Structure formats: C-alpha cells, structure tokens
Amino acid sequence: MSSASSPEPAEGRGLAHRLAGAGQQVIIGSRNAARAASTAAAIDGDVRGSDNATTAWESDVLIVAAAWEDMPSC
C-alpha cells in the first residue's frame, strides 16, 4: 500500500493520481480526515482518505508532500 500524505499541495494530489493510475492502493492523510476523504474522492482508482495517524499506521510506504512555500527558511 502506498501513501501520499497531505491533500493540500498539488504535488501530493498529482502523485496520488499517478500512483493510483499505476494500480497502487493510495491513502491520502491529513489532520482533517474529512478533507482527506474529499480529496481522495476526486481521484480515480483505489484511493481513500484518512487522518495522518491511521495513514501512517496502515501504509507500507509513506510520502510526505508539502508545499515549498510552507517550509521554514533556515
């Protein structure tokens, strides 16, 4: 099972779409499970949404996608 975590960045949604299109089972994680489920429903394939803790627990591979502009500067 693959996982793309955080439905906010377009990169994460795109990655989830491509993984699902390649036949992977994808769980989209978020602090808000309802938001993750809504994002997952818009993607074709074996995609579902859940809270971050459940997503991490149920995944074999975890990918964290975050928008670059949200990263703190060093």
Side-chain angles (χ1 to χ4, degrees):
M1 179 179 323
S2 298
S3 173
S5 183
S6 185
E8 290 305 316
E11 295 85 358
R13 286 189 303 273
L15 185 56
H17 174 76
R18 286 169 182 79
L19 286 168
Q24 295 294 313
Q25 182 181 32
V26 178
I27 306 171
I28 296 177
S30 174
R31 290 175 292 199
N32 181 325
R35 185 173 64 191
S38 174
T39 299
I43 300 172
D44 292 332
D46 190 1
V47 184
R48 66 183 174 91
S50 189
D51 64 278
N52 285 333
T54 302
T55 299
W57 183 256
E58 295 181 356
S59 298
D60 296 325
V61 176
L62 186 66
I63 301 168
V64 178
W68 181 254
E69 58 270 8
D70 292 338
M71 296 293 116
S73 57
C74 296

